[in-house]
Each structure stands twice: as structure tokens, then as C-alpha cells.
Amino acid sequence: MENVLSQPPSPPPGPIAAGLNGLCPRCGARTMFAGVIRFADRCAACGLDYTSFNVGDGPAAFLTLIIGAIVAGGAIAVELIFSPPWWVHVLLWPAITLALILGSLRAAKGVLLALEVRTAAREGRIAPPR
């Protein structure tokens, strides 16, 4: 039986694979999330501190704009093609919007955190005067 320690380390996952699967961007362990959309404090496998990275509201804002445009186009198309009663729109589109945003928020946050790790992004700093 081959010794596991003698195998070369696997390369870290790409940002998209890490974000979609909740993998640590450094070691590839499935430790990025502690909840549905809440990041863990650190990777249990390699110790990468996720709290030092700040994805903020970027993923939610982009998803809201992108999915909002898609849903608005869908609502206009449904109205022009089928002309349903107004209550169909009231029931249909908020539910679809909410499902799409919540369904894609975890992946978007994960991808953004993985990109921050890859590029060593940090909060803005002002260099001290010389």
C-alpha cells in the first residue's frame, strides 16, 4: 500500500469550483461554509482564516441586478405572450426572484471569497508617510 504522505499535494481548486462546491481555496477541503450562506471562521483542514476576507454585499447586489433584469424580461414576455391575470404575476415573479437569488447566493459568495484568496485581496490600506 502506498503511503498517502508520499503523494504530491493536489493543486488548490479553481475559484469557480471552490465557490460552487464550498471548498477551501487553499487546500480543497469542504470547509468554506458553516451554514447555508454563512462562512466558517477558518478551514478546519489547513487553518485558512476566512474572517480576514470580506465579500460584503457584492454578491447580493450583483445577483439582485442580474436576476432582476432576467425576471423583468420574463415578466414582460409572459405578459405579451399569455396575458395572464395580474394576480398570476403577483404570485409568480416574487417567488421566482427569491428562489433564484437565494439559490445562487451561496455560490456567488463562495466564488468571490475564492477570488479574494487567490489574488490576496485585503481591505484598502493607506501607506504610512515616509
Side-chain angles (χ1 to χ4, degrees), residues 1 3 13-14 18-19 22 26-27 33 38-39 43 47 50-51 53 56-57 60 65-66 72 82 85 100 102 120 122:
M1 180 165 34
N3 185 354
R26 183 190 291 164
C27 69
F33 293 99
R38 189 176 69 84
F39 289 118
C43 175
Y50 297 132
T51 61
F53 299 96
D57 294 331
L65 292 172
I66 293 167
F82 301 110
L100 288 173
L102 292 179
R122 295 285 189 267

Short mmCIF file of all heavy atoms in Angstrom, two decimals, residues 1 3 13-14 18-19 22 26-27 33 38-39 43 47 50-51 53 56-57 60 65-66 72 82 85 100 102 120 122:
data_model
loop_
_atom_site.label_atom_id
_atom_site.label_comp_id
_atom_site.label_asym_id
_atom_site.label_seq_id
_atom_site.Cartn_x
_atom_site.Cartn_y
_atom_site.Cartn_z
N MET A 1 0.84 -1.17 0.00
CA MET A 1 0.00 0.00 0.00
C MET A 1 0.89 1.25 0.00
O MET A 1 1.85 1.34 0.73
CB MET A 1 -0.90 -0.02 1.23
CG MET A 1 -1.77 1.19 1.24
SD MET A 1 -3.21 1.24 2.35
CE MET A 1 -2.80 0.38 3.77
N ASN A 3 2.08 5.02 0.63
CA ASN A 3 1.94 5.98 1.71
C ASN A 3 1.28 7.25 1.17
O ASN A 3 1.72 7.83 0.19
CB ASN A 3 3.32 6.30 2.29
CG ASN A 3 3.22 7.19 3.51
OD1 ASN A 3 2.16 7.67 3.86
ND2 ASN A 3 4.35 7.40 4.14
N PRO A 13 -8.18 24.11 -5.69
CA PRO A 13 -9.25 24.19 -6.69
C PRO A 13 -9.33 25.59 -7.27
O PRO A 13 -8.92 26.57 -6.65
CB PRO A 13 -10.51 23.85 -5.89
CG PRO A 13 -10.17 24.23 -4.50
CD PRO A 13 -8.70 23.96 -4.34
N GLY A 14 -9.87 25.69 -8.47
CA GLY A 14 -10.10 27.00 -9.07
C GLY A 14 -11.19 27.74 -8.33
O GLY A 14 -11.96 27.15 -7.57
N ALA A 18 -14.25 26.02 -6.28
CA ALA A 18 -14.27 26.23 -4.83
C ALA A 18 -15.58 26.87 -4.38
O ALA A 18 -16.18 26.44 -3.40
CB ALA A 18 -13.08 27.10 -4.42
N GLY A 19 -16.03 27.87 -5.12
CA GLY A 19 -17.26 28.55 -4.74
C GLY A 19 -18.49 27.70 -4.89
O GLY A 19 -19.36 27.68 -4.02
N GLY A 22 -18.16 24.78 -2.18
CA GLY A 22 -17.84 25.12 -0.79
C GLY A 22 -16.49 24.60 -0.36
O GLY A 22 -16.29 24.24 0.80
N ARG A 26 -7.53 27.17 -0.53
CA ARG A 26 -6.13 26.81 -0.34
C ARG A 26 -5.91 25.30 -0.45
O ARG A 26 -5.01 24.85 -1.15
CB ARG A 26 -5.62 27.30 1.01
CG ARG A 26 -4.14 26.99 1.19
CD ARG A 26 -3.65 27.26 2.60
NE ARG A 26 -3.62 28.68 2.90
CZ ARG A 26 -3.53 29.16 4.12
NH1 ARG A 26 -3.48 28.36 5.16
NH2 ARG A 26 -3.50 30.45 4.32
N CYS A 27 -6.72 24.50 0.27
CA CYS A 27 -6.44 23.06 0.34
C CYS A 27 -7.49 22.18 -0.35
O CYS A 27 -7.25 21.01 -0.59
CB CYS A 27 -6.28 22.61 1.79
SG CYS A 27 -7.82 22.65 2.74
N PHE A 33 -18.13 26.80 4.25
CA PHE A 33 -19.36 27.29 4.85
C PHE A 33 -19.67 26.59 6.16
O PHE A 33 -19.50 25.38 6.29
CB PHE A 33 -20.53 27.12 3.88
CG PHE A 33 -20.43 27.99 2.66
CD1 PHE A 33 -19.95 27.49 1.47
CD2 PHE A 33 -20.80 29.32 2.72
CE1 PHE A 33 -19.85 28.29 0.35
CE2 PHE A 33 -20.70 30.13 1.60
CZ PHE A 33 -20.22 29.61 0.42
N ARG A 38 -23.52 31.18 5.46
CA ARG A 38 -22.57 31.77 6.41
C ARG A 38 -21.22 31.08 6.29
O ARG A 38 -21.13 29.86 6.32
CB ARG A 38 -23.10 31.61 7.84
CG ARG A 38 -22.29 32.38 8.86
CD ARG A 38 -22.92 32.29 10.25
NE ARG A 38 -22.83 30.96 10.81
CZ ARG A 38 -21.77 30.49 11.47
NH1 ARG A 38 -20.70 31.25 11.61
NH2 ARG A 38 -21.78 29.28 11.97
N PHE A 39 -20.17 31.89 6.15
CA PHE A 39 -18.82 31.34 6.07
C PHE A 39 -18.39 30.78 7.42
O PHE A 39 -18.77 31.29 8.47
CB PHE A 39 -17.80 32.41 5.65
CG PHE A 39 -17.92 32.84 4.23
CD1 PHE A 39 -18.23 34.15 3.91
CD2 PHE A 39 -17.71 31.95 3.20
CE1 PHE A 39 -18.34 34.56 2.60
CE2 PHE A 39 -17.82 32.34 1.88
CZ PHE A 39 -18.14 33.65 1.59
N CYS A 43 -10.71 27.35 7.92
CA CYS A 43 -10.70 26.00 7.37
C CYS A 43 -10.21 25.04 8.45
O CYS A 43 -9.15 25.24 9.03
CB CYS A 43 -9.80 25.93 6.14
SG CYS A 43 -9.61 24.26 5.47
N GLY A 47 -6.41 25.66 8.16
CA GLY A 47 -6.35 26.81 9.04
C GLY A 47 -6.51 28.16 8.36
O GLY A 47 -6.32 29.19 8.99
N TYR A 50 -10.94 32.58 7.14
CA TYR A 50 -11.92 33.19 6.22
C TYR A 50 -12.37 34.56 6.70
O TYR A 50 -12.84 35.37 5.90
CB TYR A 50 -13.14 32.28 6.06
CG TYR A 50 -12.86 30.94 5.45
CD1 TYR A 50 -13.36 29.78 6.02
CD2 TYR A 50 -12.11 30.82 4.29
CE1 TYR A 50 -13.12 28.54 5.47
CE2 TYR A 50 -11.87 29.58 3.73
CZ TYR A 50 -12.37 28.45 4.32
OH TYR A 50 -12.13 27.22 3.76
N THR A 51 -12.25 34.83 7.99
CA THR A 51 -12.71 36.12 8.51
C THR A 51 -11.82 37.27 8.05
O THR A 51 -12.23 38.42 8.14
CB THR A 51 -12.77 36.11 10.06
OG1 THR A 51 -11.46 35.86 10.57
CG2 THR A 51 -13.74 35.05 10.55
N PHE A 53 -11.09 37.87 5.08
CA PHE A 53 -11.58 38.26 3.75
C PHE A 53 -12.99 38.79 3.90
O PHE A 53 -13.77 38.28 4.70
CB PHE A 53 -11.54 37.08 2.78
CG PHE A 53 -10.17 36.53 2.59
CD1 PHE A 53 -9.73 35.45 3.32
CD2 PHE A 53 -9.30 37.12 1.69
CE1 PHE A 53 -8.46 34.95 3.16
CE2 PHE A 53 -8.03 36.63 1.52
CZ PHE A 53 -7.60 35.54 2.25
N GLY A 56 -18.51 41.19 1.63
CA GLY A 56 -19.51 42.25 1.77
C GLY A 56 -20.82 41.90 1.09
O GLY A 56 -21.25 40.76 1.06
N ASP A 57 -21.45 42.93 0.54
CA ASP A 57 -22.75 42.76 -0.12
C ASP A 57 -22.61 42.65 -1.62
O ASP A 57 -23.61 42.67 -2.34
CB ASP A 57 -23.65 43.96 0.21
CG ASP A 57 -24.03 44.00 1.67
OD1 ASP A 57 -24.09 42.92 2.29
OD2 ASP A 57 -24.27 45.10 2.19
N ALA A 60 -24.71 39.77 -3.35
CA ALA A 60 -26.15 40.01 -3.29
C ALA A 60 -26.56 41.15 -4.22
O ALA A 60 -27.59 41.06 -4.90
CB ALA A 60 -26.57 40.32 -1.85
N LEU A 65 -29.29 42.66 -9.27
CA LEU A 65 -29.37 43.37 -10.55
C LEU A 65 -29.51 42.42 -11.73
O LEU A 65 -30.34 42.62 -12.62
CB LEU A 65 -28.13 44.25 -10.73
CG LEU A 65 -28.02 45.44 -9.78
CD1 LEU A 65 -26.67 46.11 -9.93
CD2 LEU A 65 -29.14 46.42 -10.06
N ILE A 66 -28.70 41.37 -11.75
CA ILE A 66 -28.73 40.44 -12.88
C ILE A 66 -30.04 39.66 -12.91
O ILE A 66 -30.71 39.58 -13.95
CB ILE A 66 -27.52 39.49 -12.81
CG1 ILE A 66 -26.23 40.27 -13.02
CG2 ILE A 66 -27.64 38.36 -13.81
CD1 ILE A 66 -24.96 39.52 -12.66
N ALA A 72 -37.51 40.61 -14.94
CA ALA A 72 -38.31 41.65 -15.61
C ALA A 72 -38.55 41.28 -17.07
O ALA A 72 -39.67 41.43 -17.57
CB ALA A 72 -37.59 43.00 -15.50
N PHE A 82 -48.88 35.47 -23.06
CA PHE A 82 -50.02 34.78 -22.45
C PHE A 82 -51.10 35.70 -21.90
O PHE A 82 -52.23 35.27 -21.70
CB PHE A 82 -49.54 33.86 -21.33
CG PHE A 82 -48.56 32.83 -21.79
CD1 PHE A 82 -47.23 32.91 -21.40
CD2 PHE A 82 -48.94 31.78 -22.61
CE1 PHE A 82 -46.31 31.97 -21.81
CE2 PHE A 82 -48.03 30.83 -23.03
CZ PHE A 82 -46.71 30.92 -22.64
N PRO A 85 -53.93 36.98 -15.80
CA PRO A 85 -54.45 37.98 -14.87
C PRO A 85 -53.32 38.54 -14.01
O PRO A 85 -52.28 37.91 -13.82
CB PRO A 85 -55.45 37.20 -14.01
CG PRO A 85 -55.59 35.86 -14.63
CD PRO A 85 -54.50 35.67 -15.62
N LEU A 100 -34.33 32.30 -7.09
CA LEU A 100 -33.10 32.44 -7.87
C LEU A 100 -31.99 33.12 -7.07
O LEU A 100 -30.83 32.71 -7.12
CB LEU A 100 -33.38 33.22 -9.16
CG LEU A 100 -34.17 32.47 -10.23
CD1 LEU A 100 -34.52 33.41 -11.37
CD2 LEU A 100 -33.40 31.27 -10.74
N LEU A 102 -31.68 33.41 -3.68
CA LEU A 102 -31.22 32.57 -2.57
C LEU A 102 -30.49 31.32 -3.07
O LEU A 102 -29.54 30.86 -2.44
CB LEU A 102 -32.39 32.18 -1.67
CG LEU A 102 -33.00 33.33 -0.87
CD1 LEU A 102 -34.17 32.82 -0.04
CD2 LEU A 102 -31.97 34.01 -0.01
N ALA A 120 -5.03 37.56 -3.13
CA ALA A 120 -4.55 38.14 -1.87
C ALA A 120 -5.16 39.51 -1.63
O ALA A 120 -4.50 40.44 -1.15
CB ALA A 120 -3.03 38.20 -1.84
N ARG A 122 -7.19 42.40 0.12
CA ARG A 122 -7.42 42.81 1.51
C ARG A 122 -8.13 44.16 1.50
O ARG A 122 -8.22 44.82 0.47
CB ARG A 122 -6.09 42.95 2.27
CG ARG A 122 -5.34 41.65 2.44
CD ARG A 122 -6.03 40.80 3.52
NE ARG A 122 -5.25 39.65 3.89
CZ ARG A 122 -5.38 38.45 3.34
NH1 ARG A 122 -6.25 38.25 2.40
NH2 ARG A 122 -4.65 37.44 3.76
#
